[in-house]
Amino acid sequence: MTALLDASFGGRQRRLHVDTLVRLRWFALAGQAVAVIFTYFALGFRLPLLSCLAVVAVSAALNVALRLRYGRVDRLNERPAAVVLAYDVLQLTALLYLTGGMENPFSMLFLAPIMVSAMSLSGWTTTALTFLTICAASVLTLSHYPLPWAAGETVELPILYSAGVWTAHVVSASFIAIYASLVALESRKLVDALTATELVLAREQHLTQLDGLAAAAAHELGTPLATITLVAKDLERQAEPGSQIAEDVAVLSQEAMRCRSILGKLTSLGDDEGNLLDEMRLSVMIEEVVAPQRDFGVRIAVKIHGDGREPVARRNPGILYGLGNLIENAIDFAASEVRIQAGWDAASVRISIDDDGPGFSPEVMSRVGAPYVTTRNDRRAKSEDGQGLGLGLFIAKTLLERSGATVVAQNAPPPATGAQIRVEWRRPAFERGVRPKADAAAPP
């Protein structure tokens, strides 16, 4: 589980896509070229036309180089992507320097590279790019070519207005960086958590399929093993008593009988009362998820009771994994004991998992089960690293709710301490797909 949660899900998908970047930059360069040419020829405003087109041409050459260097499906790593976006800021700075500085209405385009970085790159890269943008805006506020205007006329804005424009750009850049980064971070967390859930389900599904393959293999191997046993018996009758061949044939017969016994167990699993390959009683389910957790220095008390026939459910990897994760989490934070109670009646099936640890803190209580909400800093962990990513409860809650359960997390009422997890199914949902058995025995 730890290795699964430590994996960087979707890391490559969060890199900046070269094809998307190139297309956006072609669109921006086309807009810059059209704006410069329209301003110079249509409006008749004086500006350094060749210098402006040279700045645009350099960026166009860089775009061509990116297209030749990378394929359409390639993605840029953090550092190259940061360099490309930093160049975009500097290119826009040069173009604005030639066309009026921060007085140019198109200075708002400074926000575009920051937005792209906030959505695709790390917080440190976005912070550095925001700082570069603020420095560029500061330089353009103090030094720039005059704003292009009609011949014989000039536009000089008051210094107070220029300072206000600079302040607006600084605040806007900072707000966009923070806001977009937080939105992107939440989206990434959810995607990562769902990816982890899918991997867990795939792994558990593979384990379930192995059970079926084992039974199928046992059935297929039965015929050749019977032939081997028959031949071994014939050789045993033909061999001289006490000879080396007789001893070898006797060993061969013993091993063949042993193989038949093993295959017999595999093929009969589906006919057992617990039906280990398909169906399992509630008590068997509880024991299966509790058994691997008994040797971790914490007492696990299990109590099972109910009214009427004990519920039987189809073997569901999601339920097994979800309950196991909740129990493991309770063991991590328990002081000395974890209490597991399972009960049922004609309408519902209930499982409660209580520990005697410190419980959930108030700030975590309202978000328990959300992706990347960790309780490691709020409850005492027995793991060596003492840290968690918060995916465990999210995955467990998601898997159990997918099976039709309702999962509620709360703290024990004072003066008791500890966390309490309640899992409840409607009985028809818990027993969905189970073949009816008239002779099902009631629990003792």
Short mmCIF file of all heavy atoms in Angstrom, two decimals, residues 389-426:
data_model
loop_
_atom_site.label_atom_id
_atom_site.label_comp_id
_atom_site.label_asym_id
_atom_site.label_seq_id
_atom_site.Cartn_x
_atom_site.Cartn_y
_atom_site.Cartn_z
N LEU A 389 -0.25 10.15 2.86
CA LEU A 389 -0.71 10.99 1.78
C LEU A 389 -2.22 11.22 1.83
O LEU A 389 -2.73 12.02 1.08
CB LEU A 389 -0.32 10.35 0.44
CG LEU A 389 1.17 10.28 0.15
CD1 LEU A 389 1.39 9.62 -1.20
CD2 LEU A 389 1.79 11.67 0.14
N GLY A 390 -2.93 10.49 2.68
CA GLY A 390 -4.37 10.70 2.76
C GLY A 390 -5.19 9.96 1.73
O GLY A 390 -6.37 10.18 1.61
N LEU A 391 -4.54 9.08 0.95
CA LEU A 391 -5.27 8.34 -0.07
C LEU A 391 -5.93 7.09 0.49
O LEU A 391 -6.89 6.59 -0.10
CB LEU A 391 -4.33 7.93 -1.21
CG LEU A 391 -4.04 9.00 -2.26
CD1 LEU A 391 -3.05 8.46 -3.27
CD2 LEU A 391 -5.32 9.42 -2.95
N GLY A 392 -5.41 6.55 1.59
CA GLY A 392 -5.91 5.28 2.11
C GLY A 392 -7.39 5.32 2.43
O GLY A 392 -8.17 4.47 1.96
N LEU A 393 -7.82 6.29 3.23
CA LEU A 393 -9.24 6.40 3.59
C LEU A 393 -10.09 6.71 2.37
O LEU A 393 -11.23 6.24 2.26
CB LEU A 393 -9.42 7.47 4.66
CG LEU A 393 -8.98 7.09 6.07
CD1 LEU A 393 -9.14 8.27 7.02
CD2 LEU A 393 -9.76 5.89 6.59
N PHE A 394 -9.56 7.53 1.47
CA PHE A 394 -10.32 7.85 0.26
C PHE A 394 -10.58 6.59 -0.56
O PHE A 394 -11.70 6.35 -1.02
CB PHE A 394 -9.56 8.87 -0.57
CG PHE A 394 -10.15 9.08 -1.94
CD1 PHE A 394 -11.27 9.86 -2.12
CD2 PHE A 394 -9.58 8.48 -3.04
CE1 PHE A 394 -11.83 10.04 -3.38
CE2 PHE A 394 -10.12 8.66 -4.31
CZ PHE A 394 -11.25 9.45 -4.47
N ILE A 395 -9.54 5.78 -0.76
CA ILE A 395 -9.70 4.56 -1.54
C ILE A 395 -10.66 3.60 -0.85
O ILE A 395 -11.56 3.03 -1.48
CB ILE A 395 -8.34 3.89 -1.77
CG1 ILE A 395 -7.45 4.78 -2.66
CG2 ILE A 395 -8.49 2.51 -2.40
CD1 ILE A 395 -6.04 4.26 -2.83
N ALA A 396 -10.48 3.40 0.47
CA ALA A 396 -11.35 2.49 1.21
C ALA A 396 -12.81 2.95 1.14
O ALA A 396 -13.72 2.15 0.88
CB ALA A 396 -10.89 2.41 2.67
N LYS A 397 -13.04 4.24 1.35
CA LYS A 397 -14.40 4.76 1.33
C LYS A 397 -15.02 4.62 -0.07
O LYS A 397 -16.18 4.25 -0.22
CB LYS A 397 -14.39 6.24 1.75
CG LYS A 397 -15.76 6.86 1.96
CD LYS A 397 -15.62 8.25 2.58
CE LYS A 397 -16.98 8.85 2.91
NZ LYS A 397 -17.71 9.23 1.68
N THR A 398 -14.20 4.89 -1.10
CA THR A 398 -14.70 4.78 -2.47
C THR A 398 -15.08 3.34 -2.81
O THR A 398 -16.14 3.08 -3.40
CB THR A 398 -13.64 5.29 -3.46
OG1 THR A 398 -13.34 6.66 -3.16
CG2 THR A 398 -14.15 5.19 -4.89
N LEU A 399 -14.23 2.39 -2.44
CA LEU A 399 -14.49 0.99 -2.75
C LEU A 399 -15.73 0.48 -2.02
O LEU A 399 -16.55 -0.23 -2.59
CB LEU A 399 -13.28 0.14 -2.40
CG LEU A 399 -12.01 0.39 -3.21
CD1 LEU A 399 -10.88 -0.49 -2.71
CD2 LEU A 399 -12.25 0.15 -4.68
N LEU A 400 -15.86 0.83 -0.75
CA LEU A 400 -17.00 0.37 0.03
C LEU A 400 -18.31 1.00 -0.47
O LEU A 400 -19.33 0.32 -0.56
CB LEU A 400 -16.78 0.67 1.51
CG LEU A 400 -15.67 -0.15 2.18
CD1 LEU A 400 -15.37 0.37 3.58
CD2 LEU A 400 -16.03 -1.62 2.22
N GLU A 401 -18.27 2.28 -0.77
CA GLU A 401 -19.48 2.93 -1.27
C GLU A 401 -19.87 2.38 -2.64
O GLU A 401 -21.05 2.33 -2.99
CB GLU A 401 -19.28 4.44 -1.33
CG GLU A 401 -19.23 5.08 0.05
CD GLU A 401 -18.99 6.58 -0.02
OE1 GLU A 401 -18.60 7.07 -1.11
OE2 GLU A 401 -19.20 7.25 1.00
N ARG A 402 -18.88 1.97 -3.42
CA ARG A 402 -19.20 1.37 -4.72
C ARG A 402 -19.95 0.06 -4.55
O ARG A 402 -20.73 -0.33 -5.42
CB ARG A 402 -17.90 1.16 -5.51
CG ARG A 402 -18.11 0.54 -6.88
CD ARG A 402 -16.82 0.46 -7.66
NE ARG A 402 -16.33 1.78 -8.02
CZ ARG A 402 -15.23 1.98 -8.74
NH1 ARG A 402 -14.51 0.95 -9.15
NH2 ARG A 402 -14.84 3.20 -9.03
N SER A 403 -19.72 -0.64 -3.42
CA SER A 403 -20.42 -1.90 -3.17
C SER A 403 -21.81 -1.68 -2.58
O SER A 403 -22.52 -2.64 -2.32
CB SER A 403 -19.60 -2.77 -2.21
OG SER A 403 -19.60 -2.23 -0.90
N GLY A 404 -22.18 -0.42 -2.35
CA GLY A 404 -23.49 -0.11 -1.81
C GLY A 404 -23.50 0.25 -0.34
O GLY A 404 -24.57 0.44 0.24
N ALA A 405 -22.32 0.39 0.27
CA ALA A 405 -22.24 0.68 1.70
C ALA A 405 -22.29 2.18 1.97
O ALA A 405 -21.99 3.00 1.11
CB ALA A 405 -20.96 0.09 2.28
N THR A 406 -22.66 2.50 3.19
CA THR A 406 -22.57 3.86 3.71
C THR A 406 -21.45 3.88 4.74
O THR A 406 -21.45 3.06 5.67
CB THR A 406 -23.88 4.31 4.35
OG1 THR A 406 -24.93 4.26 3.38
CG2 THR A 406 -23.77 5.72 4.90
N VAL A 407 -20.50 4.81 4.60
CA VAL A 407 -19.33 4.88 5.49
C VAL A 407 -19.39 6.20 6.25
O VAL A 407 -19.48 7.27 5.64
CB VAL A 407 -18.01 4.78 4.70
CG1 VAL A 407 -16.82 4.81 5.65
CG2 VAL A 407 -17.99 3.50 3.86
N VAL A 408 -19.36 6.11 7.58
CA VAL A 408 -19.41 7.30 8.45
C VAL A 408 -18.23 7.25 9.40
O VAL A 408 -17.98 6.22 10.05
CB VAL A 408 -20.74 7.36 9.23
CG1 VAL A 408 -20.75 8.56 10.16
CG2 VAL A 408 -21.92 7.40 8.27
N ALA A 409 -17.49 8.35 9.49
CA ALA A 409 -16.36 8.47 10.40
C ALA A 409 -16.69 9.49 11.48
O ALA A 409 -17.23 10.55 11.19
CB ALA A 409 -15.10 8.89 9.65
N GLN A 410 -16.39 9.14 12.73
CA GLN A 410 -16.66 10.05 13.85
C GLN A 410 -15.72 9.72 15.00
O GLN A 410 -15.00 8.73 14.97
CB GLN A 410 -18.11 9.90 14.31
CG GLN A 410 -18.44 8.49 14.80
CD GLN A 410 -19.92 8.29 15.06
OE1 GLN A 410 -20.75 9.00 14.50
NE2 GLN A 410 -20.26 7.35 15.92
N ASN A 411 -15.72 10.59 16.01
CA ASN A 411 -14.95 10.34 17.22
C ASN A 411 -15.84 9.76 18.29
O ASN A 411 -17.07 9.99 18.31
CB ASN A 411 -14.32 11.64 17.73
CG ASN A 411 -13.13 12.08 16.88
OD1 ASN A 411 -12.42 11.25 16.33
ND2 ASN A 411 -12.93 13.38 16.76
N ALA A 412 -15.23 8.99 19.18
CA ALA A 412 -15.99 8.41 20.30
C ALA A 412 -16.50 9.53 21.21
O ALA A 412 -15.79 10.53 21.43
CB ALA A 412 -15.10 7.45 21.09
N PRO A 413 -17.71 9.41 21.73
CA PRO A 413 -18.23 10.46 22.62
C PRO A 413 -17.43 10.53 23.91
O PRO A 413 -17.01 9.50 24.45
CB PRO A 413 -19.67 10.00 22.88
CG PRO A 413 -19.68 8.53 22.60
CD PRO A 413 -18.66 8.31 21.53
N PRO A 414 -17.17 11.73 24.43
CA PRO A 414 -16.41 11.87 25.69
C PRO A 414 -17.13 11.13 26.82
O PRO A 414 -18.36 11.00 26.80
CB PRO A 414 -16.40 13.39 25.93
CG PRO A 414 -16.66 13.97 24.57
CD PRO A 414 -17.55 13.01 23.87
N PRO A 415 -16.41 10.65 27.81
CA PRO A 415 -14.96 10.82 28.03
C PRO A 415 -14.10 9.82 27.27
O PRO A 415 -12.89 9.82 27.42
CB PRO A 415 -14.82 10.61 29.53
CG PRO A 415 -15.91 9.61 29.84
CD PRO A 415 -17.05 9.96 28.94
N ALA A 416 -14.69 8.95 26.46
CA ALA A 416 -13.90 7.99 25.69
C ALA A 416 -13.12 8.72 24.61
O ALA A 416 -13.46 9.85 24.22
CB ALA A 416 -14.81 6.93 25.07
N THR A 417 -12.07 8.09 24.14
CA THR A 417 -11.27 8.65 23.06
C THR A 417 -11.15 7.63 21.94
O THR A 417 -11.40 6.44 22.14
CB THR A 417 -9.86 9.02 23.54
OG1 THR A 417 -9.20 7.83 24.02
CG2 THR A 417 -9.92 10.06 24.66
N GLY A 418 -10.79 8.11 20.77
CA GLY A 418 -10.59 7.22 19.64
C GLY A 418 -11.51 7.53 18.48
O GLY A 418 -12.46 8.31 18.60
N ALA A 419 -11.19 6.95 17.37
CA ALA A 419 -11.99 7.13 16.15
C ALA A 419 -12.94 5.95 15.97
O ALA A 419 -12.64 4.82 16.38
CB ALA A 419 -11.07 7.27 14.93
N GLN A 420 -14.06 6.23 15.35
CA GLN A 420 -15.06 5.20 15.08
C GLN A 420 -15.46 5.27 13.60
O GLN A 420 -15.79 6.33 13.10
CB GLN A 420 -16.30 5.40 15.96
CG GLN A 420 -16.04 5.31 17.45
CD GLN A 420 -17.29 5.57 18.27
OE1 GLN A 420 -18.24 6.19 17.80
NE2 GLN A 420 -17.29 5.09 19.51
N ILE A 421 -15.39 4.13 12.94
CA ILE A 421 -15.81 4.03 11.55
C ILE A 421 -17.00 3.08 11.48
O ILE A 421 -16.93 1.96 11.96
CB ILE A 421 -14.68 3.50 10.65
CG1 ILE A 421 -13.42 4.35 10.81
CG2 ILE A 421 -15.13 3.47 9.19
CD1 ILE A 421 -13.55 5.75 10.28
N ARG A 422 -18.09 3.54 10.89
CA ARG A 422 -19.29 2.74 10.76
C ARG A 422 -19.53 2.45 9.27
O ARG A 422 -19.60 3.37 8.46
CB ARG A 422 -20.51 3.47 11.34
CG ARG A 422 -20.35 3.85 12.80
CD ARG A 422 -20.46 2.62 13.69
NE ARG A 422 -20.37 2.98 15.10
CZ ARG A 422 -19.29 2.90 15.83
NH1 ARG A 422 -18.16 2.46 15.28
NH2 ARG A 422 -19.29 3.22 17.11
N VAL A 423 -19.66 1.17 8.95
CA VAL A 423 -19.94 0.74 7.58
C VAL A 423 -21.24 -0.05 7.59
O VAL A 423 -21.39 -0.99 8.37
CB VAL A 423 -18.79 -0.14 7.01
CG1 VAL A 423 -19.07 -0.49 5.56
CG2 VAL A 423 -17.45 0.56 7.16
N GLU A 424 -22.19 0.35 6.76
CA GLU A 424 -23.50 -0.30 6.78
C GLU A 424 -24.01 -0.51 5.35
O GLU A 424 -23.89 0.38 4.51
CB GLU A 424 -24.51 0.53 7.57
CG GLU A 424 -25.88 -0.12 7.68
CD GLU A 424 -26.81 0.64 8.62
OE1 GLU A 424 -26.33 1.57 9.30
OE2 GLU A 424 -28.01 0.29 8.65
N TRP A 425 -24.53 -1.72 5.11
CA TRP A 425 -25.16 -2.06 3.84
C TRP A 425 -26.63 -2.37 4.08
O TRP A 425 -27.01 -2.90 5.14
CB TRP A 425 -24.55 -3.30 3.21
CG TRP A 425 -23.15 -3.20 2.71
CD1 TRP A 425 -22.73 -2.92 1.44
CD2 TRP A 425 -21.96 -3.46 3.47
NE1 TRP A 425 -21.36 -2.96 1.37
CE2 TRP A 425 -20.86 -3.29 2.60
CE3 TRP A 425 -21.70 -3.79 4.81
CZ2 TRP A 425 -19.55 -3.46 3.00
CZ3 TRP A 425 -20.40 -3.95 5.23
CH2 TRP A 425 -19.33 -3.77 4.33
N ARG A 426 -27.46 -2.10 3.12
CA ARG A 426 -28.77 -2.74 3.09
C ARG A 426 -28.53 -4.21 2.77
O ARG A 426 -27.71 -4.54 1.90
CB ARG A 426 -29.66 -2.10 2.03
CG ARG A 426 -30.10 -0.69 2.36
CD ARG A 426 -30.84 -0.09 1.17
NE ARG A 426 -31.97 -0.94 0.80
CZ ARG A 426 -33.23 -0.70 1.13
NH1 ARG A 426 -33.52 0.38 1.83
NH2 ARG A 426 -34.20 -1.51 0.74
#
